[in-house]
Amino acid sequence: MRAFDGTDPKQFIFDFVTSFGREVLHSEEEAATVVDRYHTPDVVQVADGHRMDRAKLIAHARPLRKRKPSSRVEVHEAVAQADGLAARYTMHVEDRGRRFAIDVHFFGRFTPDGRMREAHMLTRTVPG
């Protein structure tokens, strides 16, 4: 069984990004617990050439918890095949009174239980 079976790929990536972001920012659980719920222990995420493993994802989550930026995700298109998903989405962010959008081109692999195993992203920040 695949993570995407019975789920529209657009809805899957929307739910993944939205739920992970909400839990990172608002959960009382340790950041590591939240990261582990959404990612495999050997996760590798490369965004614009910057490689992040599990430890770096956890470290990245900690300052976000203090700032608590708000965001909204708009998925433009997504396709899935086997364990892979490709999507194009925009994340609209408000952080410290500043508004901007991040266009994301996402290519990732997920486990059957829906955790991210690998991701490659190209992003572009656009003024809000």
Side-chain angles (χ1 to χ4, degrees), residues 60-98:
H60 179 68
R62 290 189 175 120
L64 291 175
R65 288 186 146 190
K66 291 178 183 170
R67 292 198 326 262
K68 295 200 185 309
S70 63
S71 65
R72 176 179 59 84
V73 176
E74 178 184 3
V75 180
H76 307 292
E77 55 194 335
V79 295
Q81 182 177 6
D83 67 347
L85 186 141
R88 186 175 61 84
Y89 62 88
T90 302
M91 183 174 289
H92 302 274
V93 180
E94 186 169 344
D95 189 13
R96 299 181 194 170
R98 197 173 67 117

Side-chain angles (χ1 to χ4, degrees), residues 18-68:
T18 302
S19 297
F20 177 61
R22 182 176 46 249
E23 288 191 37
V24 162
L25 295 177
H26 303 293
S27 174
E28 296 296 323
E29 295 178 297
E30 291 292 321
T33 302
V34 176
V35 167
D36 289 345
R37 186 169 22 261
Y38 287 86
H39 302 83
T40 61
D42 61 343
V43 66
V44 174
Q45 183 172 305
V46 180
D48 302 324
H50 300 283
R51 185 182 190 277
M52 294 175 71
D53 58 13
R54 177 184 177 273
K56 288 181 181 177
L57 280 170
I58 294 166
H60 179 68
R62 290 189 175 120
L64 291 175
R65 288 186 146 190
K66 291 178 183 170
R67 292 198 326 262
K68 295 200 185 309

